[in-house]
Amino acid sequence: MKFMKMHGLGNDFLVIDGRVPESVDYSALAKRACERHTGVGADGILVVEDSDAADIRMRIINSDGSEAEMCGNGIRCFAKYVYEQGIVKGTELTVETLAGIMRPTLIVRNGVVEQVRVDMGQPFLECSQIPVVGEGRCIGRTLEVLGQTVEYTSVLVGVPHTIIFVDDPGAVDIDALGSAIEHAPVFPRRTNVNFAHVIDRNTVEMRTWERGCGRTLCCGTGASSTAVACVLNGKTGRSVDIRIALGTLHIDWAEDDHVYMTGPAAAVCVGELLD
């Protein structure tokens, strides 16, 4: 099976063209291929499929074999792949995901996609929508975890995200705290966890623990959710740069109530998975 390895600011994927009908257990494949010592190594796989509802369909399978509704870095890589491979024509496309129809816009120079701007849709803010146990909006609530009390805000932008504001994301034990929060009973479908430090009204530093993947270098839905949480808590304006380990994503929570994410995607190599 042929693949292309790609990444969005370090969040890496194996992209597979699954348009030809073939019996593939993608969950088992992801567990094997994403393992960084005995496989290729990646945070997940992206599968290209035909769609009756959009130009193309994207499936996201995490490295643990679970299927995600949406992935911000993944959709930038996916959009670059289907355009540069000639699968989809035009620089504005629609992509079917489990979170709905996403609309990437490609910024292209000399036939190469340099940046992708994605309409991530409207954020969901009610506990029942995210979901989080409780009623109303989940802003500034507290949770007892690993012997400490953390204050959190949860939203859904494609997938559930929980944001913890901290003084220094680099000083947080992300593996321990992220995993514990992900599996806390208050989150019935588990949650992604973002540790965010507000630098100023326009700039935020963020590190992420992803549901089904663990610690990742970047998370597009996480950056989008963090920007929304910053506005809900009165910490920033509606247009912010989210700094992560390898670069910056720009997020706009626009007047139409949609969240727009802009960032790069890169191709690394092509290869073939052997049985």
Side-chain angles (χ1 to χ4, degrees), residues 76 79-80 83-84 106-109 111-116 265:
R76 296 200 316 277
K80 177 181 174 72
Y83 176 83
E84 294 183 354
L106 311 179
I107 302 168
V108 181
R109 180 176 297 177
V112 176
V113 176
E114 294 189 342
Q115 295 270 313
V116 182

Side-chain angles (χ1 to χ4, degrees), residues 4-8 15 46 48 56 58 73-88 90-91 93 95 104-109 111-118 263-268:
M4 177 179 288
K5 182 163 183 177
M6 306 184 73
H7 76 90
V15 187
L46 307 176
V48 181
I56 201 72
M58 176 180 73
N73 292 312
I75 199 169
R76 296 200 316 277
C77 292
F78 183 91
K80 177 181 174 72
Y81 178 89
V82 296
Y83 176 83
E84 294 183 354
Q85 296 297 310
I87 297 171
V88 171
T91 57
L93 55 149
V95 179
T105 299
L106 311 179
I107 302 168
V108 181
R109 180 176 297 177
V112 176
V113 176
E114 294 189 342
Q115 295 270 313
V116 182
R117 186 174 192 259
V118 184
V268 178

Side-chain angles (χ1 to χ4, degrees), residues 32-203:
R32 174 170 58 88
C34 293
E35 214 290 322
R36 296 192 182 275
H37 298 287
T38 59
V40 180
D43 292 320
I45 63 176
L46 307 176
V47 185
V48 181
E49 294 186 347
D50 291 321
S51 172
D52 294 327
D55 295 324
I56 201 72
R57 181 178 185 230
M58 176 180 73
R59 292 183 64 191
I60 310 109
I61 316 297
N62 294 319
S63 59
D64 71 349
S66 62
E67 185 160 3
E69 299 91 336
M70 174 54 188
C71 177
N73 292 312
I75 199 169
R76 296 200 316 277
C77 292
F78 183 91
K80 177 181 174 72
Y81 178 89
V82 296
Y83 176 83
E84 294 183 354
Q85 296 297 310
I87 297 171
V88 171
K89 310 295 183 183
T91 57
E92 296 184 7
L93 55 149
T94 55
V95 179
E96 179 186 355
T97 74
L98 290 179
I101 305 296
M102 300 297 157
R103 293 171 171 79
T105 299
L106 311 179
I107 302 168
V108 181
R109 180 176 297 177
N110 298 323
V112 176
V113 176
E114 294 189 342
Q115 295 270 313
V116 182
R117 186 174 192 259
V118 184
D119 180 350
M120 304 289 284
Q122 295 176 303
F124 293 94
L125 309 178
E126 299 294 323
C127 286
S128 60
Q129 297 170 316
I130 298 169
V132 179
V133 174
E135 297 181 355
R137 293 186 173 187
C138 188
I139 303 171
R141 300 195 177 191
T142 58
L143 175 68
E144 297 295 326
V145 59
L146 298 182
Q148 58 183 298
T149 302
V150 297
E151 184 174 301
Y152 70 96
T153 294
S154 292
V155 303
L156 186 146
V157 180
V159 292
H161 276 275
T162 294
I163 297 86
I164 315 292
F165 292 105
V166 298
D167 293 332
D168 180 7
V172 176
D173 186 347
I174 292 176
D175 293 342
L177 196 55
S179 179
I181 295 172
E182 175 193 352
H183 294 95
V186 72
F187 305 113
R189 286 172 48 204
R190 298 186 292 157
T191 186
N192 298 271
V193 188
N194 307 286
F195 300 93
H197 169 60
V198 177
I199 297 172
D200 56 41
R201 296 287 296 178
N202 304 299
T203 315

